[in-house]
Amino acid sequence: MTDKVRLRIAPSPTGDPHVGTAYMSLFNKAFAHRHGGSFVLRIEDTDQTRYNPTSVGEIIDSLRWLDLLPDEGPGIGGEYGPYVQTERRELYIKHAHELVDMGHAYRCFCTSARLEEMRREQAARHEPPRYDRHCLRLSPKEIERNLSEGKPYTIRMLVPDEGTTSFQDLIRGEISFENKVLDDQIILKSDGLPTYHLAVVVDDHYMEISHITRAEEWISSTPKHILLYNYLGWELPKFAHFPLLRNADRSKISKRKNNTSLKWYREQGYLPEAMINFLALMGWSMPNGEETFTFEDVKREFTFERMATSGPIFDLVKLTAINGKYIRTLSDEELYERLLPYLPEDLDQERVRRAVPVIKDRLTTLGEFAELTGYLFGPPPDYDAAGLVPKKGTPEAARAALERIRDLLAGLPEPWSHEEWESGMRGIAAELGLKAGDIFMVLRVAVTGSPVSPPLFESIEILGKEETLRRVDAALAKLG
RNA sequence: GGCGCGUUCGUCUAGAGGCCCAGGACAUCUCCCUUUCAAGGAGAAGAUCAGGGGUUCGAAUCCCCUACGCGCUACCA
């Protein structure tokens, strides 16, 4: 074991790339790199029933999107591979049997049916569900017979009846468990693949992981892992259990109650740097109190000591606010570039460029651009003729206003200035005894199809005189 | 039920014995700006620091108890 700093994330390829994976990656990569170490990706695919073949690629894509790519991992390379657990099965089998030989583990031939029955009875007696060690009492002869009959078996670790197992958590301090509350956990399944508990210990050892970071849901299995390290005679890594991201009801974050897929955030148009900033604010903060910062800042400042212990609620509203803030700091050109993946390719690019500065302050995600600016690239959404009529006005007033606006626009030189247009508009309002706001509203609805829209003048400018006039005529026709 | 972890404004947090009758951000509300909506600016409201006991001249900060929340309790991770 060296004193190299090596951290890893170990997601299971069971579904969409999870926001929790990004959360852990952020701090792991920051800490590893801060100390000149490596950040590793390992795929924990020992549960074949939940395996999803597209998942690994999507996890990597998502990490690349967030600029959190690992230094080592499947498809990335590294000297500690393979980085996929099913490709390492011989290693687990070897150590599982080694543990059996040492008397620290034993074969269990119990069927799932018997185990279920056992648990049912324990529940009925209000006892904690634990393996009753039926197979620990098997004689060598019985074991021999079961083996020769080809009975399937699992391997369970043997937990001491007495004593306590404790460890120093980098985030939470000392945590200890009485060994008697620990179960004789299955470490090798009957399909020959390890359970998490064995695989994680073996891999973290061989991959020379120096700091084991994971969510707090793993705290209660840590003593089992420590026991395994001790049985195997391996040096203990450091442990840090991070707070669990929560739903609004404080339960563990789930896709039922939250958008947990990183693909979703990308599709909506959240900026990776906003995502990073938001995630870093969950349970952590900059020493100087700064709330807007980058990955580089986290890398420079991250320490386990500053990590909070209680699980933060994942608040989409705050993420969205941060995202809007990041969008506003982008230059028009940058924003244009970032918008491209979210737009149909056949959109008039020149028009998109001109729409960018107009819409920037109103964007909260990149994905909103298309809907917010739809009227600039096609006909305005259909609206009711009543929408053209000023609050205290009549359809006749709206008609008179539109006719004069049409004449005003038609008579304006091309290009015309905001000033000459606005004074013309105000003149019409005065002439008709309407408020300026009413006049602008009539035009706004005629041009954008909605009483709520991006700035009117800029919109007209982008659409051009001809198209604007067409829309005014359409509005007139609507009024009948 | 057992074991473990946690508990500062609605939310994210600052706070490591006196600087705190608790600061910032998001959200909310008001005002300003303004042709709508935003953005921006200025304000307001919002936490008896879960509750109760200690320790101390002094506690959000240290200790104990209680309550509540969450997690684990699978041949899932």
Side-chain angles (χ1 to χ4, degrees):
Chain A
M1 187 70 127
T2 65
D3 53 5
K4 276 184 295 187
V5 171
R6 293 173 54 80
L7 285 80
R8 107 273 114 144
I9 45 160
S12 290
T14 55
D16 281 354
H18 201 271
V19 72
T21 300
Y23 181 59
M24 293 308 300
S25 296
L26 160 63
F27 294 119
N28 282 2
K29 183 168 182 173
F31 184 81
H33 285 196
R34 167 178 152 101
H35 295 284
S38 301
F39 168 48
V40 179
L41 167 64
R42 182 175 69 229
I43 299 299
E44 311 222 325
D45 59 345
T46 56
D47 184 355
Q48 293 293 288
T49 62
R50 294 198 304 157
Y51 181 72
N52 176 336
T54 63
S55 192
V56 175
E58 289 178 352
I59 288 169
I60 293 175
D61 283 347
S62 294
L63 292 178
R64 180 179 297 113
W65 170 59
L66 291 167
D67 202 14
L68 290 177
L69 264 192
D71 305 306
E72 299 172 24
I76 297 167
E79 295 169 17
Y80 295 79
Y83 294 94
V84 176
Q85 289 186 328
T86 46
E87 294 172 26
R88 303 167 65 82
R89 65 179 82 204
E90 298 312 320
L91 202 52
Y92 313 123
I93 291 173
K94 179 185 139 196
H95 285 110
H97 284 93
E98 184 186 333
L99 286 165
V100 171
D101 293 343
M102 291 190 294
H104 287 131
Y106 57 95
R107 293 185 178 82
C108 175
F109 297 91
C110 292
T111 60
S112 335
R114 186 184 111 73
L115 294 175
E116 272 170 42
E117 177 57 25
M118 177 195 78
R119 277 191 281 267
R120 224 189 333 269
E121 285 171 12
Q122 288 169 334
R125 276 180 266 127
H126 299 288
E127 286 173 12
R130 287 183 67 203
Y131 182 56
D132 60 7
R133 291 188 167 171
H134 174 262
C135 290
L136 179 61
R137 294 185 291 269
L138 256 31
S139 69
K141 195 171 285 181
E142 286 172 302
I143 293 173
E144 236 2 271
R145 198 176 61 230
N146 285 338
L147 250 23
S148 63
E149 286 173 2
K151 275 195 182 174
Y153 65 89
T154 61
I155 291 180
R156 289 181 182 273
M157 62 182 291
L158 180 59
V159 174
D161 296 320
E162 297 181 347
T164 61
T165 299
S166 55
F167 64 99
Q168 203 59 34
D169 188 278
L170 260 19
I171 294 174
R172 293 155 203 277
E174 173 157 329
I175 299 178
S176 75
F177 293 82
E178 292 197 59
N179 292 334
K180 67 180 181 199
V181 307
L182 270 25
D183 200 2
D184 280 359
Q185 191 68 233
I186 288 176
I187 56 176
L188 196 73
K189 297 184 275 192
S190 57
D191 65 359
L193 283 169
T195 58
Y196 173 80
H197 309 286
L198 208 219
V200 75
V201 168
V202 169
D203 288 340
D204 285 335
H205 173 257
Y206 280 100
M207 293 182 182
E208 295 180 21
I209 301 304
S210 59
H211 297 70
I212 294 186
T213 58
R214 40 157 74 136
E216 61 180 316
E217 56 185 331
W218 293 107
I219 291 176
S220 38
S221 47
T222 301
K224 294 171 191 167
H225 303 168
I226 290 177
L227 250 17
L228 289 174
Y229 274 96
N230 292 155
Y231 291 162
L232 263 0
W234 292 343
E235 185 183 334
L236 232 42
K238 292 182 161 54
F239 292 94
H241 289 94
F242 281 65
L244 203 48
L245 264 19
R246 314 277 188 107
N247 295 315
D249 63 5
R250 299 219 168 263
S251 55
K252 174 163 88 164
I253 193 167
S254 66
K255 67 177 172 188
R256 273 328 245 162
K257 299 172 180 175
N258 252 300
N259 299 294
T260 56
S261 171
L262 293 171
K263 289 194 319 196
W264 186 84
Y265 292 94
R266 186 178 190 172
E267 283 159 10
Q268 291 298 306
Y270 284 92
L271 303 179
E273 56 269 49
M275 199 76 196
I276 295 284
N277 196 153
F278 171 69
L279 252 16
L281 250 11
M282 305 270 89
W284 191 76
S285 58
M286 287 280 282
N288 65 3
E290 183 57 63
E291 303 193 19
T292 302
F293 52 85
T294 66
F295 174 77
E296 283 304 310
D297 294 319
V298 181
K299 179 177 151 188
R300 194 180 61 250
E301 303 288 357
F302 180 80
T303 56
F304 289 108
E305 294 70 54
R306 281 195 73 76
M307 202 66 214
T309 47
S310 62
I313 290 172
F314 188 96
D315 182 10
L316 189 61
V317 173
K318 179 148 182 175
L319 201 212
T320 304
I322 291 175
N323 201 54
K325 197 168 180 171
Y326 272 84
I327 286 175
R328 274 171 256 128
T329 64
L330 259 25
S331 70
D332 292 348
E333 182 58 26
E334 281 171 327
L335 181 52
Y336 167 73
E337 298 283 345
R338 301 267 217 141
L339 241 16
L340 291 180
Y342 295 87
L343 302 174
E345 284 176 17
D346 58 358
L347 236 41
D348 178 339
Q349 293 304 300
E350 185 48 35
R351 197 165 273 201
V352 172
R353 282 181 191 277
R354 296 182 69 187
V356 165
V358 179
I359 211 71
K360 187 150 78 174
D361 285 347
R362 293 162 181 77
L363 276 189
T364 212
T365 60
L366 298 177
E368 288 175 341
F369 184 88
E371 191 184 330
L372 254 28
T373 63
Y375 70 97
L376 292 175
F377 300 92
D382 196 29
Y383 56 90
D384 200 274
L388 292 162
V389 181
K391 274 206 177 60
K392 289 175 185 165
T394 60
E396 288 65 38
R399 163 170 286 280
L402 280 170
E403 281 168 349
R404 273 158 225 250
I405 291 171
R406 182 181 56 191
D407 294 342
L408 166 71
L409 290 170
L412 248 20
E414 189 123 55
W416 65 88
S417 73
H418 194 152
E419 288 68 29
E420 45 193 333
W421 172 74
E422 183 169 347
S423 66
M425 288 290 283
R426 288 183 186 282
I428 292 170
E431 191 187 333
L432 296 177
L434 289 168
K435 285 196 284 192
D438 290 334
I439 289 289
F440 287 111
M441 186 53 78
V442 173
L443 218 212
R444 181 183 307 283
V445 173
V447 171
T448 71
S450 166
V452 175
S453 80
L456 224 206
F457 178 77
E458 284 80 353
S459 296
I460 291 171
E461 213 177 16
I462 292 171
L463 286 168
K465 184 189 279 193
E466 204 184 317
E467 173 62 21
T468 304
L469 252 14
R470 238 195 316 273
R471 293 186 185 190
V472 170
D473 285 336
L476 245 10
K478 224 181 238 290
L479 281 169

